[in-house]
Amino acid sequence: MTEFEQKLRQQHEESMHAELEALLATAGRAEAEVSRKDFSGFKNLFHRFLQVKGPSVEWAKINRPPEDSIQPYEKIKAKGLPNNITETLNKLVVVKLNGGLGTSMGCKGPKSLISVRNENTFLDLTVQQIEHLNKTYNADVPLVLMNSFNTDEDTKKILQKYSHHRVKIHTFNQSRYPRINKESLLPIATNMGMTGENAEAWYPPGHGDIYASFHNSGLLDNLLAEGREYMFVSNIDNLGATVDLFILHHLICQPADKRCEFIMEVTDKTRADVKGGTLIQYEDHLRLLEIAQVPKAHVDEFKSVTKFKIFNTNNLWISLSAIKRLQERNSMDLEIIVNPKTLDGGLNVIQLETAVGAAIKSFNNAMGVNVPRSRFLPVKTSSDLLLVMSNLYSLDAGSLTMSKKREFLTTPHVKLGSSFTKVQDFLTRFENIPDMLELDHLTVSGDVTFGKNVSLKGTVIIIANHGDRIDIPAGAMLENKIVSGNLRILDH
């Protein structure tokens, strides 16, 4: 850095420190105490943001991971189940990332409270899975939810309904960081409030914040004191992320000096996953490479299925004592994701975020496990929702499994148009969910509705042009068909 840059950076840091102190002065004592911890993490991130210029990886140094660093799931499974499953399960904590809202699917409130199957929400299914595990093996696996200030209040209200279930549920909050003005690099908040002019001034800083906020909450120490050794972390909207006893056994049964502290579940890329983060070997460490870190000239190479064959499912198994060690030494170095946003009033801001999987390089004996695709079943859009609500899957004790009646193990490719984006609109367009057991590809665009007991097979494309409407009649069977034009069915 030149002397000028050095001075400028120092000036930015001093101004930021002064602004954050002024914000803290507007908070009550209890709130200020929590926010001071949050801000300490933010200042650390801001400091690194000012130092790092340009891409955080040098493309020439990227290598494919060594063969033994990503093990096939079959090899892990071949080790069999633990002798004492109950004892092994009691060393586990299940953590779900529950900071997101349902806005992208047109819903208010936490995404985890959207109904996905038989009136069950993501949270219901998670509780059912863990309760089933605890009952089956007479175990005591707790569920921990990492909430954000966006989801905490609504989630806590709902948690009361599980008080008689056989699952202990804990929550902690991820940090609340200030959005900063892109030009001045100062917070846009005027005080610590979250309403009115400050409604858009704050953000939860990505799931990489789990390590610091879990540690700061005191919950990590409590769970270690109970004899817990590993946590299984996943996104709450990934319905494939269930506790896997084979992976857990692999972790627990290793000698203490060779303990694997971090497993990332990866799975083979398909065309739909070209943007997913991948594992690379970089300066003798396994590292997660996200699309945001890739220099523009190499984005196509990153998306290639031949060079980078796998992607991160964000199902992670992490040693609790290792998290404590790294947090206390302040030696967890997560790449910064700079997320630019434009607020409603047109103001350009930036959010500094981190990803939970990026910590893989800081843990000892970290590895990837190439798991079956069935462990990655995220519901991000109404197209995904259609798949999980259909007869392609059967529901058993909170877990979704591909129906035995489906001949191909791959899921169909479904693309629903903008008329289906909001869950409410989506539900009104289907009298019931079509039979999709033999479907390969479905594209629907425009004003389209489906009657009862429709069956879709092969490739089906339904396009209603602007101003037209297509009502697929009850009982219709469409196999390898393109439907276009106008078809109205009205009650007489």
Side-chain angles (χ1 to χ4, degrees), residues 438 455-460 477-482:
E438 294 175 49
S455 174
L456 306 170
K457 301 180 181 189
T459 296
V460 178
M477 197 277 277
L478 301 177
E479 181 168 9
N480 297 325
K481 294 281 185 280
I482 295 176

Side-chain angles (χ1 to χ4, degrees), residues 200-330:
E200 292 188 300
W202 309 97
Y203 71 99
H207 40 55
D209 181 54
I210 187 170
Y211 305 108
S213 48
F214 195 22
H215 183 256
N216 289 344
S217 71
L219 194 51
L220 176 63
D221 285 337
N222 296 350
L223 292 164
L224 280 164
E226 285 178 15
R228 312 287 177 184
E229 293 179 20
Y230 282 93
M231 67 175 184
F232 171 49
V233 188
S234 63
N235 299 355
I236 199 155
D237 65 6
N238 177 8
L239 295 176
T242 55
V243 171
D244 186 282
L245 293 169
F246 297 105
I247 296 178
L248 181 60
H249 176 50
H250 173 80
L251 287 167
I252 300 283
C253 74
Q254 288 170 331
D257 56 333
K258 293 209 177 109
R259 268 280 167 102
C260 165
E261 293 182 340
F262 194 111
I263 280 181
M264 175 180 286
E265 292 186 34
V266 296
T267 193
D268 294 342
K269 259 189 193 181
T270 67
R271 235 176 259 287
D273 317 304
V274 289
K275 290 184 178 175
T278 191
L279 279 180
I280 55 168
Q281 186 78 355
Y282 192 87
E283 294 173 340
D284 298 333
H285 281 286
L286 259 193
R287 225 170 120 164
L288 177 66
L289 177 66
E290 300 273 11
I291 196 162
Q293 296 163 274
V294 178
K296 278 201 171 63
H298 296 282
V299 166
D300 286 343
E301 202 180 329
F302 174 81
K303 288 180 174 180
S304 112
V305 181
T306 44
K307 181 162 183 180
F308 301 109
K309 295 183 170 154
I310 48 105
F311 72 97
N312 166 29
T313 62
N314 223 31
N315 299 348
L316 309 168
W317 302 75
I318 311 173
S319 156
L320 295 177
S321 57
I323 294 174
K324 185 174 166 69
R325 180 188 77 231
L326 290 166
Q327 275 304 123
E328 285 176 351
R329 291 182 189 166
N330 200 15

Side-chain angles (χ1 to χ4, degrees), residues 17 26 96 111 115 127 148 161 168 180 194 209 218 221 223 230 232 252 257 338 393 414 417 426 487:
H17 177 74
T26 69
K96 293 286 182 185
K111 186 172 181 185
S115 285
V127 170
S148 68
K161 78 172 186 180
K168 281 199 195 99
I180 51 182
M194 290 195 287
D209 181 54
D221 285 337
L223 292 164
Y230 282 93
F232 171 49
I252 300 283
D257 56 333
V338 179
Y393 292 96
V414 173
F426 163 90
L487 171 64

Side-chain angles (χ1 to χ4, degrees), residues 152-191:
D152 189 52
E153 203 178 317
D154 290 338
T155 303
K156 281 184 172 158
K157 281 179 193 160
I158 291 290
L159 288 181
Q160 296 163 6
K161 78 172 186 180
Y162 306 117
S163 51
H164 298 297
H165 288 251
R166 190 170 164 174
V167 186
K168 281 199 195 99
I169 304 178
H170 308 278
T171 64
F172 68 96
N173 258 358
Q174 69 182 110
S175 309
R176 168 164 74 115
Y177 282 5
R179 282 179 168 154
I180 51 182
N181 184 311
K182 193 179 173 192
E183 301 310 320
S184 68
L185 296 186
L186 291 173
I188 62 167
T190 50
N191 58 49

